Amino acid sequence: MAEGGGGCCPPMDLFRSEPMQLVQLIIPIESAHLTVSYLGDLGLLQFKDLNSDKSPFQRTYATQIKRCGELARKLRFFKEQMSKAGFSPKTSTTRAEINLDDLEVKLGELESELVEMNANSEKLQRSYNELAEYKLVLQKAADFFHAAHSSALELQRESESREADDSLETPLLLDQEISTDPSKQVKLGYLTGLVPREKSMAFERILFRATRGNVFLKQATLENPVTDPISGEKVEKNVFLVFYSGEKAKNKILKICEAFGANRYPFTEDLGRQVQSINEVSARLSELKTTIDAGLLHRGNLLQTIGDQFERWNLVVRKEKSIYHTLNMLSLDVTKKCLVAEGWSPIFATKQIQDALERGAYDSNSQVGAIFQVLHTKESPPTYFRTNKFTTAFQEIVDAYGVAKYQEANPGVYTIVTFPFLFAVMFGDWGHGICLLLATLYFIIREKKLSSQKLGDITEMTFGGRYVILMMSIFSIYTGLIYNEFFSVPLELFGRSAYACRDLSCGDSTTMGLIKVRPTYPFGLDPVWHGTRSELPFLNSLKMKMSILIGVTQMNLGIVISYFNALYFKNSINVWFQFIPQLIFLNSLFGYLSVLIVMKWCTGSQADLYHVMIYMFLSPTDDLGENQLFPGQKLVQLVLLFLALVAVPWMLIPKPFLLKKQHEARHQGESYALLETTEESLQVESANDSHGGHGEEFEFSEVFVHQLIHTIEFVLGAVSNTASYLRLWALSLAHSELSSVFYDKVLLLAWGFNNVFILIIGIVVFVFATVGVLLVMETLSAFLHALRLHWVEFQNKFYEGDGYKFQPFSFLVTEEEEE
């Protein structure tokens, strides 16, 4: 893999981040807007904020940003109105340019028209709701008076027939004059209206308490909820009619009505006028209904017109706002005729940026072109990897731990293979792998459609990692074929088993009862192991040793990558006093163990490797006896132990002293250097600082403690990290056993009952257990463990991850953020 790229369009290179440069642009003020717009379309320049000391209100284009904010507010208002009316903005395919001034006038007119429509519609609707309530009050109150009038006449007839005028009480609602003293008659007033049903009981109690019982209240329930004129919501209400005596009581009742939100309406006792009022209200309601419908139709047409252009307007406003935000990051030169910009860009984008600058100057009819120049700086550039839809998800796995330092080796290259492989080692079942593959293919085949839709959080995360899951499923099928497991069932795919039983009872005994009758099974695990008593001890031994081999290999890969990092940054100290001793220490112990494992497999030796490794430390001079795998093993172990012990001080002591010497030599040379320091010397100084110096101040104690911590961490980590890779064995075993339990204790058990109903239940339980536990929970578990092995065990050997991402000014990013 190449370590750098040059030219206009270099090939994609994930091993090292793109070479970056700090550029300065001097843009004439008349072409600045169009130039920044073209750079946003290009999306390959990360602007630096040259006005960080100024508040947002002190910047040059604060007024324009405020103006764009106002346009965005109007568009949000239109969107709310459309969603309330049930309209959705149409996706615009046209990309015609719109003048911001024209758009501002257009949006202002539309907003004024829509606000006026809403206000008129609200007034009309309120009047309509009030008249609807008034009509109900007229009808119910007329019923009250009619019933009271009828009962009064009936009582009068009864009193006349009995001829007992003195003992009779005069009804309140009697219209006819009764022979009593006119001076003793009391004139009663009345109020009608509607009160919310939930407040009616409290309303009645308060009325009686406030007037000390000197009121007569009559209520009638409305069958259907009515629209409240004030709130506009459907409310269940009661019509009330309250009689009172005196102005004091009237004032109290009015205040109580206001407190309870009771709407009052006028009513007359005259039957003829009641009928006339009802007819007038009905006619008015009909007119209002027609007017409201016409207004809603006109408003709907207006919103439809807005919806057709909404996305285009929204895009223009967002782009303009982002352009002015970027222009605010540029500094105004002393002549106030040019804007000065600084930013990071990939070296390969130089020609494209220059073309954008020329096009901006030409299209804006500027007499002066923009100036492009490269600056030399001691700042660390941002990290930029050009990824595609396949590699993006793998790169994000690495970036979640930490963004790579500029130009350091990127573990994402290896993660594309090692991550799905380690997952598959823990998830080895080609039946489950096929299920994962089918689910992933659904996302991949429909990716165009799904990428434009809003998905749920979990679905969106799964969709984003579809190519990671694709690789995981393919590797799971591969390791499943090696383990020879299809939903825990072994199949003779590559030929017949190499072994046969000596007698019928050997299936219940150990492998000692088997004899080899055919050539070795060509690929993967021989199916004869399944179901024997020695299956678990054999698989445990195999997978545990395989995990150690994989772990030691990957850790060695990490140490080798640290060598290429040191070589790339020309840091010889890290080569001699970090890479070499680390490689010696790890391989003197666990590299040696890996060699012993392979030798034991090849020779069929019965040596106890636990005993060999333990007594290599406890009694290195003792004879190995039957645990000896090759001649001279004792001497080799003594040499390896000595190298491991030497490697520790080799890592710890020389590096801090050499860094101190290097720092002193550099500063001593600078004190006698020429006064004129060129940009190249600054660049060299920057490189030296990054290679081991700690800035201008060099604290030897701090460097020594840091190296001590690093050494202890590596020595202890060599043991703990190797042990950590045993999770590959543990999770593989757990997955295999769970799969076997579901197959034997659910599916085969249900099959054994010879009952169709029980068999169907067994199949359903087996499917749900397989999907829920093995395809969801186990997938997530294996994914997280593979993630940990990469972040901790692999990447800590070489990866610093203290960089920062390249975030160019791009309209594509603006659109994605809005979505």
Side-chain angles (χ1 to χ4, degrees):
M1 177 93 47
E3 294 182 353
C8 176
C9 296
M12 182 174 295
D13 181 11
L14 273 179
F15 189 64
R16 304 245 177 237
S17 61
E18 292 291 339
M20 306 294 285
Q21 60 187 358
L22 181 65
V23 300
Q24 185 183 62
L25 312 177
I26 302 173
I27 310 168
I29 205 159
E30 65 270 12
S31 64
H33 181 276
L34 199 58
T35 302
V36 170
S37 174
Y38 289 154
L39 290 172
D41 289 328
L42 183 61
L44 286 170
L45 183 64
Q46 177 180 325
F47 287 93
K48 290 176 67 178
D49 190 357
L50 302 180
N51 298 315
S52 55
D53 55 332
K54 292 182 181 178
S55 70
F57 303 104
Q58 294 173 323
R59 302 198 180 201
T60 312
Y61 293 93
T63 310
Q64 285 83 347
I65 287 178
K66 187 178 178 183
R67 181 184 172 197
C68 292
E70 180 62 21
L71 292 176
R73 181 199 62 76
K74 289 175 183 176
L75 289 169
R76 284 196 302 272
F77 170 68
F78 293 152
K79 193 171 185 179
E80 288 170 9
Q81 295 298 312
M82 284 190 289
S83 63
K84 284 180 183 176
F87 291 103
S88 57
K90 290 184 179 177
T91 306
S92 178
T93 54
T94 57
R95 293 280 175 182
E97 292 297 324
I98 305 172
N99 187 286
L100 197 64
D101 296 328
D102 297 340
L103 183 60
E104 187 175 23
V105 173
K106 179 78 173 172
L107 294 185
E109 290 172 355
L110 289 171
E111 186 190 29
S112 301
E113 189 177 353
L114 196 54
V115 167
E116 189 179 350
M117 278 185 184
N118 289 344
N120 292 336
S121 177
E122 193 177 336
K123 285 178 186 175
L124 289 170
Q125 193 64 47
R126 183 167 181 172
S127 300
Y128 181 85
N129 294 335
E130 285 177 350
L131 284 171
E133 283 195 348
Y134 187 25
K135 185 178 179 181
L136 291 169
V137 168
L138 286 172
Q139 290 170 345
K140 291 291 181 182
D143 292 343
F144 288 153
F145 274 86
H146 180 70
H149 187 70
S150 301
S151 78
L153 287 174
E154 191 177 339
L155 286 171
Q156 188 180 11
R157 287 193 205 100
E158 286 179 7
S159 65
E160 286 174 355
S161 65
R162 290 178 186 175
E163 297 178 352
D165 298 333
D166 296 332
S167 61
L168 288 175
E169 293 180 1
T170 307
L172 287 172
L173 301 178
L174 191 60
D175 289 343
Q176 287 81 2
E177 189 70 21
I178 298 176
S179 57
T180 54
D181 188 356
S183 63
K184 292 183 179 179
Q185 286 184 3
V186 179
K187 182 67 176 174
L188 294 179
Y190 60 90
L191 292 169
T192 57
L194 291 100
V195 66
R197 190 174 300 167
E198 59 183 11
K199 299 180 180 178
S200 60
M201 295 299 293
F203 178 69
E204 186 173 349
R205 282 198 301 271
I206 295 294
L207 278 177
F208 273 85
R209 287 175 185 171
T211 60
R212 298 184 180 180
N214 292 318
V215 292
F216 176 76
L217 177 69
K218 188 77 174 171
Q219 294 194 61
T221 303
L222 296 174
E223 293 79 8
N224 300 318
V226 294
T227 307
D228 188 75
I230 297 170
S231 66
E233 296 175 357
K234 291 277 186 182
V235 182
E236 292 185 335
K237 291 190 175 185
N238 291 351
V239 175
F240 70 87
L241 175 64
V242 57
F243 291 91
Y244 60 87
S245 173
E247 283 297 315
K248 266 191 175 181
K250 181 181 179 181
N251 292 333
K252 287 181 180 178
I253 293 167
L254 290 174
K255 288 179 180 176
I256 291 167
C257 286
E258 287 178 11
F260 278 84
N263 301 327
R264 293 173 282 101
Y265 296 97
F267 184 78
T268 179
E269 295 180 49
D270 188 358
L271 290 173
R273 291 185 65 186
Q274 287 175 17
V275 174
Q276 185 183 352
S277 296
I278 290 174
N279 291 335
E280 287 176 358
V281 169
S282 298
R284 180 74 179 134
L285 278 172
S286 179
E287 289 174 9
L288 280 174
K289 179 68 175 169
T290 306
T291 309
I292 288 170
D293 288 344
L296 287 175
L297 182 63
H298 182 46
R299 183 171 176 271
N301 292 334
L302 181 64
L303 289 174
Q304 186 69 48
T305 306
I306 293 171
D308 292 342
Q309 300 291 327
F310 180 83
E311 287 296 338
R312 199 156 63 100
W313 293 342
N314 198 26
L315 183 63
V316 168
V317 171
R318 286 204 315 269
K319 279 190 174 183
E320 289 294 325
K321 194 173 182 181
S322 62
I323 287 169
Y324 285 119
H325 268 300
T326 305
L327 286 170
N328 268 341
M329 298 167 75
L330 277 55
S331 66
L332 206 60
D333 75 333
V334 287
T335 62
K336 295 194 174 179
K337 291 182 180 178
C338 291
L339 287 169
V340 180
E342 287 183 13
W344 295 101
S345 77
I347 290 176
F348 73 81
T350 302
K351 182 72 170 61
Q352 297 172 50
I353 293 171
Q354 288 174 338
D355 290 344
L357 295 177
E358 290 174 10
R359 200 163 77 252
Y362 179 79
D363 291 349
S364 58
N365 298 320
S366 175
Q367 295 178 351
V368 182
I371 298 171
F372 175 94
Q373 57 184 0
V374 179
L375 301 178
H376 295 281
T377 178
K378 292 199 287 184
E379 288 182 57
S380 177
T383 302
Y384 175 46
F385 295 106
R386 290 196 292 167
T387 55
N388 54 31
K389 63 183 180 181
F390 179 80
T391 56
T392 297
F394 292 100
Q395 190 60 50
E396 284 177 357
I397 287 173
V398 175
D399 290 346
Y401 176 81
V403 179
K405 191 176 73 174
Y406 177 64
Q407 295 269 288
E408 81 167 314
N410 178 24
V413 178
Y414 306 97
T415 303
I416 293 171
V417 175
T418 58
F419 185 86
F421 176 69
L422 291 187
F423 169 87
V425 170
M426 296 179 273
F427 195 80
D429 188 303
W430 63 277
H432 297 152
I434 289 172
C435 293
L436 271 185
L437 180 63
L438 293 174
T440 313
L441 288 176
Y442 169 79
F443 283 117
I444 292 171
I445 292 167
R446 296 171 59 91
E447 67 180 10
K448 283 188 179 178
K449 186 177 180 181
L450 292 172
S451 59
S452 60
Q453 294 178 358
K454 279 196 174 181
L455 308 171
D457 290 341
I458 295 175
T459 311
E460 190 171 354
M461 187 166 54
T462 308
F463 177 72
R466 59 194 180 280
Y467 289 103
V468 177
I469 302 172
L470 173 70
M471 293 293 287
M472 284 159 39
S473 61
I474 292 170
F475 275 87
S476 296
I477 294 170
Y478 170 69
T479 54
L481 290 170
I482 291 176
Y483 295 159
N484 202 350
E485 288 189 8
F486 178 79
F487 296 103
S488 81
V489 180
L491 300 174
E492 294 185 341
L493 292 176
F494 302 101
R496 297 186 64 190
S497 171
Y499 298 93
C501 284
R502 285 178 180 170
D503 52 59
L504 295 175
S505 63
C506 75
D508 298 324
S509 65
T510 64
T511 52
M512 296 299 290
L514 295 172
I515 53 172
K516 190 169 182 180
V517 293
R518 297 181 194 91
T520 305
Y521 193 70
F523 183 83
L525 202 64
D526 196 310
V528 77
W529 288 101
H530 185 74
T532 61
R533 288 174 56 190
S534 55
E535 177 190 13
L536 201 57
F538 171 73
L539 288 181
N540 273 344
S541 174
L542 173 69
K543 291 182 178 180
M544 181 174 65
K545 291 169 183 172
M546 181 185 67
S547 301
I548 292 172
L549 291 176
I550 291 171
V552 171
T553 304
Q554 192 174 28
M555 288 191 290
N556 271 305
L557 174 63
I559 294 172
V560 170
I561 296 173
S562 74
Y563 165 75
F564 286 105
N565 267 342
L567 205 64
Y568 185 85
F569 292 116
K570 299 180 176 60
N571 192 338
S572 57
I573 291 177
N574 280 355
V575 173
W576 291 103
F577 303 102
Q578 184 171 305
F579 161 69
I580 293 175
Q582 284 184 358
L583 198 65
I584 289 172
F585 183 85
L586 181 67
N587 290 292
S588 295
L589 304 179
F590 300 104
Y592 173 61
L593 173 61
S594 302
V595 171
L596 292 183
I597 289 170
V598 174
M599 287 186 70
K600 184 176 177 182
W601 281 347
C602 294
T603 59
S605 170
Q606 298 295 316
D608 185 354
L609 298 186
Y610 295 109
H611 183 277
V612 172
M613 292 305 296
I614 289 169
Y615 283 94
M616 178 179 171
F617 293 95
L618 296 181
S619 304
T621 56
D622 288 358
D623 287 331
L624 294 169
E626 60 182 9
N627 292 318
Q628 183 167 323
L629 281 158
F630 59 91
Q633 184 177 352
K634 178 180 169 184
L635 180 61
V636 170
Q637 288 186 179
L638 286 170
V639 171
L640 290 175
L641 191 61
F642 174 74
L643 287 174
L645 292 173
V646 168
V648 176
W650 190 354
M651 273 187 280
L652 172 64
I653 297 170
K655 187 176 176 180
F657 288 99
L658 289 170
L659 288 174
K660 183 181 179 184
K661 183 180 178 183
Q662 192 180 72
H663 178 82
E664 289 172 351
R666 186 164 64 246
H667 280 266
Q668 185 180 3
E670 282 177 4
S671 61
Y672 294 104
L674 295 173
L675 291 176
E676 45 187 285
T677 58
T678 61
E679 291 174 347
E680 284 76 10
S681 69
L682 292 176
Q683 195 175 7
V684 170
E685 183 182 349
S686 166
N688 288 333
D689 286 343
S690 66
H691 293 168
H694 289 255
E696 294 180 0
E697 296 180 6
F698 184 88
E699 289 288 340
F700 178 76
S701 58
E702 186 181 330
V703 174
F704 191 84
V705 169
H706 178 270
Q707 189 62 26
L708 177 66
I709 293 169
H710 184 76
T711 304
I712 293 171
E713 184 184 8
F714 180 81
V715 171
L716 296 180
V719 180
S720 65
N721 292 353
T722 306
S724 184
Y725 276 94
L726 294 176
R727 70 184 68 235
L728 298 173
W729 156 49
L731 266 83
S732 173
L733 182 66
H735 186 87
S736 176
E737 291 301 308
L738 275 172
S739 182
S740 181
V741 166
F742 290 150
Y743 178 74
D744 293 338
K745 304 300 180 186
V746 176
L747 199 59
L748 291 185
L749 198 64
W751 183 272
F753 280 95
N754 292 324
N755 184 306
V756 175
F757 181 70
I758 294 175
L759 180 61
I760 291 170
I761 293 175
I763 292 171
V764 170
V765 172
F766 175 75
V767 169
F768 275 94
T770 300
V771 172
V773 178
L774 296 175
L775 293 181
V776 177
M777 291 174 62
E778 278 285 307
T779 301
L780 183 61
S781 173
F783 180 90
L784 293 175
H785 282 284
L787 200 63
R788 184 238 149 82
L789 289 174
H790 278 79
W791 282 356
V792 179
E793 277 72 30
F794 174 52
Q795 290 179 191
N796 72 350
K797 302 291 183 294
F798 66 96
Y799 189 60
E800 293 186 24
D802 56 353
Y804 63 101
K805 262 188 177 181
F806 176 59
Q807 295 175 323
F809 169 59
S810 172
F811 292 137
L812 285 175
V813 176
T814 308
E815 290 173 27
E816 286 170 7
E817 285 176 355
E818 182 68 21
E819 289 171 4

